[in-house]
Amino acid sequence: MSRNETNANLIASTLTNSLGTTVIGHVNEPNLTIQLTLPTGVVETLNVDANGDFLYKVKDVTDGEQLLVQAVNATDVVAEVIVTVDMPAPVVTGVIATRDGKRTLEGRVNQPGTTVKMQLMGEDIEVVVDDHQEFEMPIPADVLSEQIQLSCYNEQTHKGSQSTVSLGVTSKTQPVPILTDEMIDEYRANKQDGATPENQQAENITAHNSVGTTPVDEFTPITRETGEIAFEDLDDTAETTNDPLIDQSFMEQVQHGSDQTVQSRSEQPAKRGVFGRLFGKLFGH
């Protein structure tokens, strides 16, 4: 295929992270095809969308390797760009977790083939990383998080980094329940729904008694007296009389229109019932 570069404005670059390397780019001329030549010599044809953008995930490439990106039409190469795989430095994270009364350093590194070391009190201790790029190792109970520093180094990219550790929990740490506002509100609502007036009254009385006060709901009888007269003297069981309070002769005089002088009430015989005895005692009669 001949080379005939135009103003196709081909742009391409690589993006590498823990998930791998991806070639991304753009071409502003329509009806072109993108071809990607890998370090192994294999040529891949990439799809271009309506906006002229394309991307392709590359497998099995390492830091520093080069990729050839070409924009071609039916007969010619109209533009090409060489991009270099740039692997970022690895990143290691660590947490001091407590589980079953033991303290462990747990963490992960984001790149395979990376060596992890722990610096503790001036000593370098190599950490064993499993196939999932995770690690776990016991540490003394009196070691503080500030005394530990982690470092990682990728043998292929010759890049590394350092990080500190923190106190916390991981997916392997047994969770501890946390009392939230929602839990408190739910407890209060359930307690109110289950409380009856009788139970509430009993709780009030118990609460008052516990602080040495008299419960509001209790009633203490009070004996009241007026002068020397006790209300107990008004007992209905006392002896009474069935005699009328008004003299019968007085009623006969009124009914017959007699002109006879009506005898004064003070001169009439005393006929005293319950109220008579009461008012007699009150007014001294």
Side-chain angles (χ1 to χ4, degrees), residues 58-97:
V58 183
K59 299 179 180 179
D60 301 328
V61 292
T62 59
D63 184 67
E65 291 185 326
Q66 293 183 336
L67 308 174
L68 176 63
V69 182
Q70 295 176 319
V72 299
N73 54 24
T75 57
D76 299 320
V77 175
V78 298
E80 67 178 26
V81 175
I82 297 176
V83 295
T84 303
V85 177
D86 184 14
M87 300 284 291
V91 177
V92 60
T93 56
V95 173
I96 296 179

Side-chain angles (χ1 to χ4, degrees), residues 21-240:
T21 300
T22 302
V23 177
I24 57 177
H26 173 81
V27 61
N28 65 352
E29 185 175 323
N31 301 321
L32 293 179
T33 301
I34 301 298
Q35 291 183 345
L36 174 66
T37 303
L38 301 178
T40 58
V42 177
V43 178
E44 300 285 351
T45 300
L46 311 185
N47 295 323
V48 181
D49 63 17
N51 297 323
D53 298 325
F54 60 89
L55 60 87
Y56 182 81
K57 187 173 182 179
V58 183
K59 299 179 180 179
D60 301 328
V61 292
T62 59
D63 184 67
E65 291 185 326
Q66 293 183 336
L67 308 174
L68 176 63
V69 182
Q70 295 176 319
V72 299
N73 54 24
T75 57
D76 299 320
V77 175
V78 298
E80 67 178 26
V81 175
I82 297 176
V83 295
T84 303
V85 177
D86 184 14
M87 300 284 291
V91 177
V92 60
T93 56
V95 173
I96 296 179
T98 301
R99 185 171 67 254
D100 298 331
K102 299 179 181 180
R103 303 183 77 198
T104 57
L105 175 64
E106 303 174 4
R108 187 180 188 277
V109 65
N110 68 337
Q111 290 181 8
T114 302
T115 302
V116 178
K117 291 184 178 182
M118 176 181 66
Q119 289 78 39
L120 176 61
M121 303 177 65
E123 297 290 336
D124 287 345
I125 303 173
E126 186 170 350
V127 179
V128 178
V129 181
D130 61 18
D131 295 337
H132 301 287
Q133 300 165 211
E134 298 179 348
F135 57 87
E136 176 182 341
M137 64 179 302
I139 58 175
D142 56 349
V143 173
L144 303 177
S145 60
E146 294 82 1
Q147 298 175 306
I148 299 177
Q149 189 175 34
L150 294 176
S151 63
C152 58
Y153 184 78
N154 191 314
E155 298 291 345
Q156 295 178 348
T157 64
H158 304 289
K159 297 178 182 179
S161 65
Q162 293 182 338
S163 64
T164 58
V165 300
S166 60
L167 292 175
V169 296
T170 67
S171 59
K172 300 179 182 180
T173 305
Q174 183 175 359
V176 178
I178 300 177
L179 191 62
T180 63
D181 292 339
E182 291 77 7
M183 296 172 62
I184 296 175
D185 294 339
E186 181 179 0
Y187 170 77
R188 290 175 177 173
N190 293 337
K191 186 175 182 181
Q192 291 177 358
D193 294 340
T196 61
E198 293 78 9
N199 294 338
Q200 189 65 37
Q201 179 177 356
E203 292 177 0
N204 293 338
I205 294 176
T206 303
H208 282 290
N209 290 337
S210 63
V211 296
T213 59
T214 302
V216 177
D217 295 333
E218 292 184 354
F219 174 74
T220 303
I222 301 176
T223 303
R224 301 179 57 186
E225 295 185 357
T226 304
E228 298 179 353
I229 304 173
F231 282 96
E232 286 77 3
D233 292 342
L234 300 182
D235 190 355
D236 290 341
T237 60
E239 183 180 358
T240 60

